[in-house]
Amino acid sequence: MGTLLSEHERTTLVDLLRVAFPHDRFPVGPYQRTALAVVDAAAGNPRLHGLLLQGLADLDTQREVGFSNLDVETAQLVLRGIADTPFFTAVLDVAIVALYDDHEVWEILGYEGPSYDKGGYIDRGFNDLDWLPDPRIESWIDSTVDSTVDSNEEAPA
Amino acid sequence: MTRFEYDDSDVVVVVGSGAGGGTLANELCQRGFKTVVLEAGPHLTGPDYENDEWKAFAQMAWTDPRTASGSWEIARDFPNLPAWIVKAVGGTSTHWAGACPRFKPHELAARSVYGPLEGTTLLDWPITLSELAPYYDRAELKMGVTHRHGRPPLPANNNYKVFANGAEKVGYRDYATGPYATNAEPFDGRPASIQDGFNFQGDKHGSKWSTLVAELPKAEATGNLDLRPDSHVAQILHDADGRASGVLYVDRNGTMRRQRAAVVCVAGNSIETARLLLLSSSARFPDGLANSSGQVGRNYMRHTTATVWGQFDKPVRMYRGETMAGVIADESRLDTDRGFVGGYYMETISLGPAFFAKFVAPGSWGTSLAEIVDGYLNTAGMWIVGEDMPQETNRITLSKDTVDANGLPVADVHFDDHPNDVAMRRHGRQQGTAVYESVGATRTIQTLPYPSTHNLGTARMSARPRDGVVDRFGRAHDVPNLFVSDGSVFTTGAAANPTLTIVALAIRQADYIATEFRSTAR
Ligand SMILES: Cc1cc2nc3c(=O)[nH]c(=O)nc-3n(C[C@H](O)[C@H](O)[C@H](O)COP(=O)(O)OP(=O)(O)OC[C@H]3O[C@@H](n4cnc5c(N)ncnc54)[C@H](O)[C@@H]3O)c2cc1C
């Protein structure tokens, strides 16, 4: 499905996402794929499409230079200024799901994704944390009460 | 596969195949009842399930519209997703984590013990713990609950190691890796957990008890089960005497069907159960079926919940292993000196980055969110789950403007926190924070409640018909052959996760139905 967004607007969207979700460790790829997810979502959704067209155009008029040419602090300020607009919240809504569902992002964050086909983690470190002692796993037996009596006791009326 | 005639008026119809309905159906089939289970969702099994949070959610969650209103944050953050409920064979027992605490004696007598708390509709249950205890035993035995009846505990995973060490440091003693209804070793023809970490996504391995893997196959083997997936019940019908006569449902082809019945049992998970009763209004029952008291849909409870995350300077990898496999029970005690009535449990929880980022701080973005997500690898998590107060105005009603694909008004879920809920949540967050700080957390994060996973109270049990909807066996006060068989019947919520109690009550209800109604199978 098509989009009415220009090349420039799509670049602006990528830059918006980089400012809205600022991770030093993320390369541009995940942001580009997230922008694509937003554009795709708008393809069949006139409301989102309209918000994007107008919102991205507006973004460029906030300062003397276009959004993509702003330094990070100014760009953040600009976003804070539009944080409550339907445009920005609609972009966030789609983007937060897409960005953190990106497998390259998972890898950077240290998440290993599907595990069942690899036999789970039973032999692959489900309990490999070694900076704390191994704790008790059995139930605690309270020696001050007789637990068999306790479980049959009626409520105090 | 067994099929009964649409006009066979000897069958028991069970609406919903989840923890309540699936268990009841099996228990009835074992007792020789011809049982028709109508399940709105599809029949998916382990190989269909996704090891992926959003895919699994899209595949199985109830995403038909619902609306939310009231002052709870959910109405703002997730206005069309007030609850996380599964729409598939097995219901939410496919996505549940398996935590299985029992109620405590005082929790069945909340009104007597807590007193008349302003703004609440607290009421004592019409049953006591000693009546329930044998059914808890039977439920734990069938579910293979760890730490009970000689079943071995689950091993400590990474998330638990942080949690339990923190518990010990702050002086808690009542902590363990269970009780959970997940196999630490093979049991009941199902394998031991391989710690794959995708419990909330349906557990492909089948180590976790669900009605899909444990109850329905046994029911099927009796020849008494007619399981009909993709069958959405639109209305319960009644005869001239005011007895339930069957149900109208829409099958997978969109065809309207009437199934006649001797007994109708509703287990749609509180929100849908109340909705169905309200939709089943008639000249004789103008406010909805079984609703002469006006209590259907009221006293909706969802447990007081919160999540606390601790971030450390070393890796945790909470996602490896069982999603939940740790309980601290110290705060579940009866102790009104903490500034609130009722107690709460702390339970380990893990989310993948996709859900973590979405739910950790709804609506947030920028550096504050990015810093939290950057710490994902070093994050440990716990969920707080405690008793919330029943209130008359916390309520399921039929939406006046939103309908589902069948044109049926959807459920509106209205909820306001009671001051007691707020005080308990504050306490729980404080204590959870202390647990993680005691083992060196460099940052702790307090997350708001998620869409409700525990949905209770909308057709509550009461001794007197005017105070509730069903009697001590879950039988409607107004309609002698209509039963409610899920968490809707909870008079009060207790601190315990509800499913063990739902299962225990379903077994008890089956015993009762078997004495009251003749078994009908060949
Ligand atoms: C992520 C998660 C984790 C959880 N962890 C725990 C835990 O650790 N411990 C615990 O005790 N509980 C837990 N729960 C809660 C537990 O899943 C529920 O308490 C339990 O499944 C409720 O059983 P039920 O029979 O009432 O409803 P469900 O299991 O939800 O089943 C209801 C079924 O009815 C069907 N239905 C509804 N309306 C209709 C209709 N009109 N026609 C036909 N079918 C219909 C639905 O599609 C559904 O399949 C968890 C839940 C979630 C979501």
Side-chain angles (χ1 to χ4, degrees):
Chain A
M1 267 180 286
T3 176
L4 298 172
L5 293 185
S6 67
E7 186 73 42
H8 171 69
E9 282 157 341
R10 276 180 282 165
T11 312
T12 308
L13 180 57
V14 174
D15 289 331
L16 176 154
L17 293 171
R18 295 176 76 170
V19 178
F21 303 101
H23 295 275
D24 297 343
R25 291 185 291 163
F26 293 8
V28 72
Y31 294 108
Q32 287 168 333
R33 289 189 286 274
T34 301
L36 211 60
V38 176
V39 172
D40 281 350
N45 181 336
R47 168 75 177 149
L48 183 57
H49 219 127
L51 286 172
L52 279 182
L53 278 172
Q54 191 62 55
L56 290 167
D58 289 349
L59 206 55
D60 265 345
T61 65
Q62 298 273 319
R63 294 291 188 277
E64 297 293 299
V65 294
F67 183 81
S68 294
N69 296 321
L70 299 174
D71 60 77
V72 178
E73 281 84 58
T74 315
Q76 279 176 345
L77 268 177
V78 167
L79 289 193
R80 239 170 275 147
I82 62 158
D84 295 328
T85 61
F87 158 66
F88 189 67
T89 51
V91 170
L92 279 194
D93 240 26
V94 182
I96 196 164
V97 171
L99 179 64
Y100 298 109
D101 208 24
D102 187 283
H103 291 208
E104 193 178 351
V105 163
W106 287 359
E107 214 175 302
I108 294 164
L109 294 175
Y111 178 66
E112 294 164 90
S115 79
Y116 188 71
D117 292 344
K118 300 175 187 144
Y121 292 105
I122 185 86
D123 299 318
R124 297 192 311 127
F126 82 101
N127 61 352
D128 65 356
L129 185 147
D130 59 5
W131 48 272
L132 286 168
D134 281 341
R136 192 190 76 219
I137 59 171
E138 291 85 16
S139 307
W140 172 65
I141 308 296
D142 185 352
S143 49
T144 62
V145 298
D146 179 345
S147 62
T148 56
V149 173
D150 186 49
S151 69
N152 286 320
E153 183 190 318
E154 289 308 325
Chain B
M1 214 180 49
T2 309
R3 298 289 300 180
F4 300 116
E5 300 291 324
Y6 296 120
D7 282 332
D8 186 339
S9 54
D10 287 339
V11 306
V12 178
V13 162
V14 177
V15 181
S17 64
T23 302
L24 178 72
N26 182 26
E27 294 287 331
L28 290 173
C29 287
Q30 301 297 336
R31 288 166 180 75
F33 283 86
K34 296 198 280 190
T35 307
V36 175
V37 174
L38 299 171
E39 167 54 56
H43 196 162
L44 302 167
T45 59
D48 302 317
Y49 294 167
E50 300 275 2
N51 259 204
D52 181 300
E53 289 178 314
W54 285 118
K55 281 189 191 145
F57 192 81
Q59 181 186 43
M60 298 177 73
W62 186 289
T63 51
D64 303 8
R66 283 188 182 119
T67 59
S69 57
S71 58
W72 57 332
E73 289 89 354
I74 295 289
R76 181 196 65 207
D77 297 332
F78 306 100
N80 301 116
L81 192 70
W84 177 353
I85 290 173
V86 170
K87 180 178 177 180
V89 172
T92 320
S93 76
T94 58
H95 276 193
W96 81 310
C100 278
R102 291 186 180 198
F103 277 38
K104 301 186 176 213
H106 71 269
E107 290 174 324
L108 290 147
R111 172 62 179 77
S112 301
V113 178
Y114 303 154
L117 211 63
E118 203 188 322
T120 73
T121 47
L122 282 168
L123 186 71
D124 290 351
W125 284 63
I127 43 181
T128 61
L129 191 63
S130 53
E131 281 170 276
L132 209 49
Y135 293 98
Y136 271 141
D137 286 337
R138 284 161 72 177
E140 288 164 348
L141 284 165
K142 86 154 57 209
M143 298 164 88
V145 177
T146 64
H147 295 85
R148 302 280 184 261
H149 313 284
R151 310 264 353 125
L154 286 162
N157 64 11
N158 292 334
N159 207 13
Y160 178 77
K161 287 189 187 181
V162 180
F163 178 79
N165 274 288
E168 185 70 36
K169 277 260 165 63
V170 301
Y172 287 146
R173 292 174 296 186
D174 199 356
Y175 63 84
T177 55
Y180 279 88
T182 291
N183 292 346
E185 58 182 36
F187 169 74
D188 199 26
R190 293 178 289 111
S193 166
I194 57 164
Q195 303 282 345
D196 77 347
F198 288 93
N199 225 306
F200 286 180
Q201 287 69 37
D203 183 28
K204 289 171 89 68
H205 208 49
S207 303
K208 172 182 78 177
W209 177 91
S210 70
T211 52
L212 178 83
V213 297
E215 302 300 311
L216 295 167
K218 291 183 187 128
E220 180 107 58
T222 64
N224 292 327
L225 175 71
D226 180 348
L227 171 64
R228 302 182 199 162
D230 305 297
S231 300
H232 187 102
V233 178
Q235 182 144 354
I236 303 164
L237 305 164
H238 67 82
D239 64 17
D241 300 327
R243 294 175 64 89
S245 58
V247 298
L248 170 78
Y249 71 95
V250 186
D251 77 8
R252 67 165 56 113
N253 304 315
T255 308
M256 238 72 92
R257 302 285 182 192
R258 176 211 293 255
Q259 177 62 55
R260 297 190 189 272
V263 178
V264 174
C265 304
V266 188
N269 198 331
S270 298
I271 295 173
E272 293 305 317
T273 291
R275 176 184 176 216
L276 181 57
L277 293 175
L278 292 171
L279 283 172
S280 302
S281 58
S282 65
R284 183 178 181 132
F285 300 109
D287 300 322
L289 199 59
N291 195 22
S292 68
S293 63
Q295 293 291 310
V296 169
R298 293 189 187 274
N299 313 304
Y300 168 68
M301 295 171 288
R302 60 178 310 256
H303 274 138
T304 295
T305 67
T307 307
V308 180
W309 309 96
Q311 294 190 327
F312 300 83
D313 53 13
K314 299 191 192 69
V316 177
R317 293 192 173 86
M318 63 173 168
Y319 61 85
R320 288 187 181 172
E322 288 295 325
T323 308
M324 298 178 92
V327 181
I328 301 173
D330 293 75
E331 298 289 356
S332 69
R333 67 187 186 274
L334 173 60
D335 169 10
T336 48
D337 288 345
R338 289 170 294 181
F340 52 88
V341 303
Y344 63 87
Y345 290 91
M346 300 155 129
E347 297 168 357
T348 57
I349 189 170
S350 157
L351 299 178
F355 272 23
F356 183 70
K358 171 81 178 169
F359 293 105
V360 69
S364 90
W365 55 279
T367 39
S368 55
L369 176 67
E371 279 176 23
I372 292 174
V373 178
D374 278 335
Y376 178 76
L377 182 69
N378 299 358
T379 306
M382 76 166 77
W383 195 53
I384 285 155
V385 51
E387 177 163 15
D388 63 335
M389 291 297 111
Q391 301 180 68
E392 199 168 52
T393 49
N394 285 347
R395 186 177 180 194
I396 311 304
T397 53
L398 298 177
S399 169
K400 296 199 170 48
D401 44 36
T402 310
V403 295
D404 68 10
N406 292 317
L408 302 167
V410 305
D412 180 74
V413 184
H414 183 95
F415 193 88
D416 301 303
D417 278 321
H418 187 272
N420 195 76
D421 307 340
V422 175
M424 178 186 290
R425 184 176 296 122
R426 190 181 309 126
H427 192 271
R429 287 171 162 179
Q430 240 166 34
Q431 293 305 112
T433 302
V435 165
Y436 286 139
E437 285 180 344
S438 78
V439 280
T442 52
R443 179 204 294 265
T444 55
I445 305 139
Q446 305 182 339
T447 290
L448 294 170
Y450 307 120
S452 315
T453 55
H454 300 172
N455 299 282
L456 307 166
T458 57
R460 70 180 183 177
M461 280 191 187
S462 63
R464 291 183 310 197
R466 68 166 187 264
D467 295 330
V469 179
V470 298
D471 73 5
R472 52 204 310 277
F473 293 103
R475 180 185 200 148
H477 289 305
D478 296 346
V479 184
N481 63 339
L482 175 67
F483 289 80
V484 178
S485 320
D486 62 15
S488 315
V489 304
F490 282 28
T491 310
T492 53
N497 312 54
T499 308
L500 177 72
T501 304
I502 292 173
V503 171
L505 289 172
I507 303 170
R508 182 169 171 271
Q509 186 175 78
D511 272 355
Y512 180 72
I513 291 175
T515 60
E516 293 291 299
F517 299 84
R518 197 170 41 85
S519 89
T520 49
R522 297 134 301 164

